[in-house]
């Protein structure tokens, strides 16, 4: 047995402990999982959600297949300690013969665990119900003999073949031969696959590197990197039909809303970026032949007219940076082009955690520590510079997803002094929030809109914070003025001020999908001829790709530039979108293919415009990253110069 085979077996142990933690937290029911998890461990809510959607996808396949073909065969390749046979038997599916195949050591351990639990042993002992066998999936003659001579399977009977994160570890030649062998051997069959895609963006590189470090690289992933390649792989190897969904699509189209709402209430959650990235990098695929049809239905027709340029017209440079954090707030200095950054989650000497510092970042990447203050240790807040008193204004954020903040902090950047104001909604202040959109309204106003509230719900209310003029020695004060509410709640959006207008872009809505419409515009209402009213622009051409956790920049020539972010409904990671605010047209540009040794995730970061150059616009991106499911937390260790 190779060292990689041993590591694959080790991934089974981690996975089964994660499934037990997910079941214990109430995400789905599995009364057998505790029989096979030898080392229980408490996982994070992000891990729970990831294993929940994986279970929902596989349960969906089983239900659809067995409702059509009750008398059938199920063959699970690389089954590990999976409990599907026992759950299906408990649910009354008694006419299907279930075969599990794995490494000899895994098979021996699983048989012992089954024997240790009488109910499992009783179900497994039923005649023609369950076979758990060892085999090498790369040796097809031996596999043929095992299944049809020793186990007496029927190649004509409707058969469900399963690879749940299994054949992805095989070399491409062997896994493709297995796919083709299955199509040629079983006359009426469905092949169901749950595995990874999209290796070339930031999250994909982190994902790849994780499996490489475990010595179990995803050997087929670079050859079949997207949905189209995966689909063609099966159609060209003997399967007559194939449907494929990434897990964001599966959740949006095939999981009932009431079930999603139940799941979302189980735990406090604020790792949307990591969850949506995980879901966009995994697929559920079903290929079918003979009398069998794919359990997955044809996908709803999605809008595909976004002008998503694939010739990489933008270039970027990555330069080493110690700003390793995400969820921070930032704003540019009005004097020297530097950037003020405060708080966020990142690297500390004692490990990852919330950061309590204010730093000044210069365009060459050098950093000055301005001050440290425990009240700065927050995430997803806002920061703006109010002139003429040279004060930075911090608003909102959170310490924990159950602890929204509603205070206002003033930092005197000349004297490094910090003062705080607090108020309650009953006294005319907004509800505490984080992940809100905000923008300066010159000279001394700050727009605040939407965000996450105390109940982790997307907010609709909008406000303008008026910073009242005081002398340099006095404590500032604020006055909150209500602004017209958004049509629906959203968080993780951006707000930009342009020609007496507020432009809201992107965000996530209450269904945890990228908000529609993508852009909303309102007059500030501070001139006699205007009133506050949110309207959707009339686009001349395709609208922007839906995104959230991005950055928005206004240029002097009336362009709105959206940078990075996460999309729940597009098959590529958002790059840079350039919007002409006078014509309401936009063009999308992709980011370069990334280096696996230096991945960049442009989410929860800061961006600013660099100096205008003859050959394009320069954008500087600082910080950013994301929790990356079970692959660890990724913090960008570079700052990015993008040139359009």
């Amino acid at each position: 047995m190779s060292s990689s085979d041993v590591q694959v077996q080790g991934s089974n142990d981690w996975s089964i402990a994660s499934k037990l933690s997910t079941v214990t937290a109430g995400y789905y029911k599995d009364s057998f999982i505790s029989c096979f998890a030898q080392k229980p461990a408490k996982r994070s809510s992000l891990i729970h959600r990831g294993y929940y959607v994986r279970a929902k996808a596989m349960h969906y396949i089983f239900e659809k297949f067995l409702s059509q073909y009750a008398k059938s065969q199920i063959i699970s390749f690389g089954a590990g300690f999976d409990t599907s046979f026992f759950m299906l038997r408990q649910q009354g599916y008694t006419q299907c013969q279930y075969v599990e195949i794995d490494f000899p050591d895994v098979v021996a351990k699983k048989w012992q665990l089954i024997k240790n639990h009488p109910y499992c042993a009783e179900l497994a002992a039923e005649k023609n119900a369950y076979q758990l066998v060892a085999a090498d999936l790369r040796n097809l003659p031996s596999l043929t003999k095992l299944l049809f001579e020793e186990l007496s399977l029927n190649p004509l009977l409707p058969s469900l073949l399963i690879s749940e994160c299994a054949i992805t570890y095989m070399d491409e030649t062997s896994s493709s031969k297995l796919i083709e062998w299955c199509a040629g051997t079983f006359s009426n069959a469905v092949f169901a696959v749950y595995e990874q895609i999209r290796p070339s963006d930031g999250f994909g590189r982190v994902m790849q590197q994780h499996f490489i470090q475990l010595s179990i690289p995803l050997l087929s992933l670079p050859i079949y990197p997207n949905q189209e390649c995966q689909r063609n792989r099966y159609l060209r190897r003997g399967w007559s039909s194939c449907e494929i969904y990434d897990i964001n699509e599966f959740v949006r189209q095939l999981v009932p809303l009431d079930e999603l709402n139940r799941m979302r209430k189980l735990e406090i959650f604020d790792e949307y970026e990591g969850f949506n990235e995980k879901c966009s990098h995994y697929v559920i695929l079903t290929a079918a032949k003979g009398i069998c049809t794919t359990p997955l239905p044809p996908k709803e027709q999605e809008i595909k007219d976004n002008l998503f340029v694939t010739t990489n017209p933008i270039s970027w440079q990555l330069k080493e940076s110690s700003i390793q954090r995400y969820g921070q707030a930032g704003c540019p200095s009005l004097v020297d082009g530097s950037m003020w950054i405060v708080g966020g989650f990142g690297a500390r000497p004692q490990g990852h955690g919330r950061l309590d510092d204010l730093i000044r970042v210069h365009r060459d990447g050098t950093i000055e520590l301005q001050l440290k203050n425990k009240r700065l240790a927050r995430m997803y807040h806002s920061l703006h510079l109010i002139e003429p008193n040279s004060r930075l204004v911090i608003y909102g954020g959170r310490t924990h997803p159950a602890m929204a903040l509603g205070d206002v902090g003033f930092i005197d950047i000349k004297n490094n002094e910090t003062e705080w104001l607090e108020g309650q909604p009953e006294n005319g202040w907004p509800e505490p929030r984080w992940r809100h959109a905000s923008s300066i309204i010159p000279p001394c106003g700050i727009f605040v809109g939407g965000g996450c509230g105390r109940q982790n719900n997307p907010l609709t209310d909008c406000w303008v914070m008026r910073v009242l003029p005081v002398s340099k020695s006095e404590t500032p004060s604020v006055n909150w003025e209500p602004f017209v509410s958004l049509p629906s709640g959203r968080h993780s959006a951006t707000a930009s001020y342009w020609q007496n207008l507020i432009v809201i872009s992107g965000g996530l809505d209450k269904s945890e999908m990228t908000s529609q419409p993508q852009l909303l515009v309102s007059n500030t209402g501070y001139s006699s001829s205007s009133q506050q009213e949110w309207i959707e622009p009339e686009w001349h051409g395709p609208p922007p790709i839906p995104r959230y956790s991005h950055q928005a920049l206004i240029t002097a020539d009336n362009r709105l530039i959206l940078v990075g972010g996460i999309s729940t409904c597009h098959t590529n990671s958002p790059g840079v979108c350039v919007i002409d605010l006078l014509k309401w047209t936009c063009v999308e540009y992709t980011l370069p293919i990334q280096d696996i040794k230096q991945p960049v995730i442009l989410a929860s970061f800061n961006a600013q415009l660099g100096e205008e150059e003859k050959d394009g616009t320069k954008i500087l991106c600082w910080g950013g990253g994301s929790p990356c499911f079970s692959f660890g937390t990724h913090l960008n260790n570079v700052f990015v110069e993008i040139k359009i």
Side-chain angles (χ1 to χ4, degrees):
M1 184 181 296
S2 69
S3 61
S4 63
D5 290 346
V6 174
Q7 293 296 333
V8 170
Q9 294 180 41
S11 71
N12 169 68
D13 298 336
W14 199 95
S15 177
I16 204 71
S18 299
K19 290 179 180 180
L20 175 59
S21 181
T22 305
V23 168
T24 303
Y27 282 79
Y28 64 96
K29 295 180 180 179
D30 184 343
S31 55
F32 298 95
I33 193 73
S34 60
C35 302
F36 297 94
Q38 297 170 285
K39 296 179 180 179
K42 177 70 169 71
R43 304 296 193 214
S44 69
S45 56
L46 175 59
I47 300 295
H48 289 161
R49 281 195 173 203
Y51 274 90
Y52 165 80
V53 294
R54 173 174 172 172
K56 292 299 291 185
M58 297 311 300
H59 293 169
Y60 182 94
I61 301 303
F62 283 125
E63 181 182 342
K64 294 295 183 182
F65 178 82
L66 291 172
S67 65
Q68 286 186 284
Y69 316 107
K71 185 173 176 56
S72 58
Q73 302 166 149
I74 299 177
I75 301 101
S76 179
F77 300 124
F81 288 178
D82 182 57
T83 60
S84 295
F85 162 74
F86 301 98
M87 288 198 295
L88 292 173
R89 212 70 179 177
Q90 189 181 54
Q91 293 166 14
Y93 294 106
T94 58
Q95 298 184 61
C96 64
Q97 184 177 358
Y98 205 108
V99 178
E100 292 184 342
I101 302 173
D102 216 308
F103 294 107
D105 285 353
V106 174
V107 169
K109 290 178 182 177
K110 190 169 187 178
W111 267 128
Q112 187 59 53
L113 292 169
I114 290 171
K115 292 175 182 176
N116 291 343
H117 295 85
Y119 187 37
C120 291
E122 179 185 337
L123 292 175
E126 293 179 10
K127 186 178 180 181
N128 296 326
Y130 181 67
Q131 284 86 31
L132 171 59
V133 293
D136 186 343
L137 299 177
R138 294 163 290 201
N139 188 336
L140 296 179
S142 176
L143 185 62
T144 302
K145 181 180 179 181
L146 171 67
L147 294 181
F148 300 108
E149 294 183 21
E150 298 178 26
L151 301 182
S152 301
L153 293 189
N154 183 350
L156 302 178
L157 201 63
S159 302
L160 174 61
L161 313 165
I162 300 169
S163 169
E164 188 179 347
C165 292
I167 66 171
T168 185
Y169 299 118
M170 297 170 63
D171 66 273
E172 189 275 331
T173 299
S174 296
S175 59
S176 291
K177 285 182 177 178
L178 177 64
I179 292 167
E180 191 167 6
W181 174 86
C182 289
T185 302
F186 294 92
S187 300
N188 306 292
V190 169
F191 204 134
V193 178
Y194 178 91
E195 64 185 37
Q196 302 87 348
I197 59 166
R198 290 178 55 184
S200 299
D201 60 12
F203 186 95
R205 293 307 196 202
V206 172
M207 177 176 69
Q208 272 189 300
Q209 187 64 25
H210 168 79
F211 289 105
I212 290 172
Q213 290 172 347
L214 292 178
S215 300
I216 47 173
L218 306 173
L219 297 175
S220 296
L221 182 57
I223 303 171
Y224 306 102
N226 56 44
Q227 293 191 33
E228 182 180 4
C229 290
Q230 285 273 10
R231 186 171 182 271
N232 288 335
R233 182 186 196 188
Y234 288 82
L235 294 177
R236 291 169 181 170
R237 285 173 174 81
W239 296 90
S240 54
S241 62
C242 184
E243 295 293 339
I244 182 170
Y245 288 63
D246 75 33
I247 301 303
N248 276 325
E249 294 171 327
F250 173 81
V251 169
R252 184 170 72 251
Q253 296 187 24
L254 299 178
V255 181
L257 182 57
D258 57 349
E259 165 59 16
L260 291 175
N261 289 336
R262 180 200 67 82
M263 179 272 292
R264 289 165 183 156
K265 294 175 182 177
L266 292 173
E267 293 183 283
I268 294 173
F269 188 76
D270 192 33
E271 296 176 308
Y272 302 100
E273 292 84 358
F275 178 61
N276 287 135
E277 283 281 73
K278 187 270 181 191
C279 290
S280 69
H281 286 77
Y282 279 76
V283 293
I284 183 71
L285 173 151
T286 55
K289 60 164 298 189
I291 65 169
C292 294
T293 57
T294 65
L296 292 171
K299 278 193 285 194
E300 295 176 8
Q301 185 62 38
E302 309 240 358
I303 297 174
K304 299 183 183 299
D305 58 351
N306 296 86
L307 187 56
F308 201 80
V309 179
T310 57
T311 53
N312 292 335
I314 62 173
S315 62
W316 72 5
Q317 287 185 304
L318 308 181
K319 300 181 180 180
E320 188 174 343
S321 171
S322 60
I323 309 175
Q324 297 182 35
R325 65 182 77 194
Y326 66 84
Q328 73 274 14
C331 69
S333 166
L334 302 180
V335 179
D336 59 0
S338 60
M339 189 83 171
W340 296 103
I341 293 177
V342 63
F345 180 92
R348 306 177 301 178
Q350 66 272 40
H352 292 167
R354 286 177 286 109
L355 304 175
D356 62 358
D357 56 359
L358 170 69
I359 60 175
R360 188 172 192 171
V361 186
H362 296 276
R363 288 186 173 179
D364 61 1
T366 57
I367 299 171
E368 298 177 39
L369 174 63
Q370 197 76 10
L371 63 88
K372 293 176 74 69
N373 184 303
K374 290 183 178 179
R375 291 189 70 165
L376 301 180
R378 60 184 66 201
M379 300 173 63
Y380 304 119
H381 45 297
S382 56
L383 181 73
H384 296 285
L385 180 62
I386 293 289
E387 292 289 336
N389 292 340
S390 298
R391 283 190 170 96
L392 291 169
V393 182
I394 302 169
Y395 171 67
R398 68 157 175 90
T399 53
H400 180 273
M403 186 57 69
L405 302 173
D407 53 356
V408 176
F410 294 91
I411 302 177
D412 184 335
I413 55 180
K414 292 184 178 179
N415 301 312
N416 282 349
E417 295 176 349
T418 306
E419 299 170 284
W420 298 88
L421 298 176
E422 296 189 61
Q424 299 299 323
E426 55 266 29
N427 297 325
W429 281 52
E431 176 184 344
R433 68 194 62 211
W434 74 96
R435 290 183 176 269
H436 49 281
S438 67
S439 175
I440 283 282
I441 297 179
C444 295
I446 297 175
F447 170 85
V448 172
C452 282
R454 284 173 170 160
Q455 305 301 319
N456 219 20
N457 56 306
L459 301 173
T460 61
D461 60 323
C462 300
W463 300 77
V464 174
M465 180 203 308
R466 294 290 176 190
V467 181
L468 304 180
V470 295
S471 67
K472 294 183 179 181
S473 60
E474 290 181 310
T475 302
S477 60
V478 300
N479 183 42
W480 288 97
E481 301 173 0
F483 197 94
V484 64
S485 293
L486 296 168
S488 59
R490 65 174 71 191
H491 65 77
S492 307
T494 63
S496 306
Y497 178 80
W498 172 71
Q499 293 189 2
N500 205 38
L501 302 173
I502 293 292
V503 182
I504 296 283
S505 68
L508 273 188
D509 61 22
K510 66 179 181 179
S511 65
E512 296 186 12
M513 296 296 167
T514 36
S515 302
Q516 297 293 347
Q518 267 294 287
L519 258 72
L520 291 168
V521 180
S522 175
N523 282 294
T524 57
Y526 298 123
S527 66
S528 57
S529 60
S530 67
Q531 63 178 3
Q532 298 171 2
E533 180 185 12
W534 294 110
I535 60 171
E536 180 183 1
E538 185 176 335
W539 294 98
H540 300 282
I545 291 172
R547 68 190 75 201
Y548 73 98
S549 198
H550 57 293
Q551 288 283 288
L553 304 166
I554 296 283
T555 67
D557 58 351
N558 300 306
R559 291 182 296 165
L560 174 65
I561 302 179
L562 308 181
V563 186
I566 308 293
S567 181
T568 65
C569 54
H570 202 279
T571 55
N572 292 294
S573 296
V576 177
C577 178
V578 180
I579 299 170
D580 187 323
L581 293 170
L582 298 178
K583 299 178 181 178
W584 292 113
T585 58
C586 74
V587 180
E588 295 275 2
Y589 300 101
T590 58
L591 299 176
I593 293 175
Q594 298 205 28
D595 183 350
I596 195 169
K597 296 179 180 178
Q598 210 169 42
V600 174
I601 297 178
L602 286 182
S604 303
F605 65 107
N606 297 118
Q608 67 180 122
L609 291 171
E611 295 178 358
E612 285 290 330
E613 300 180 0
K614 292 182 180 180
D615 57 344
T617 299
K618 182 182 288 187
I619 300 167
L620 305 179
C621 303
W622 309 100
S626 170
C628 295
F629 188 53
S630 58
F631 316 137
T633 296
H634 176 73
L635 304 170
N636 295 337
N637 60 6
V638 295
F639 74 89
V640 183
E641 287 187 0
I642 298 174
K643 185 177 290 186
I644 304 175

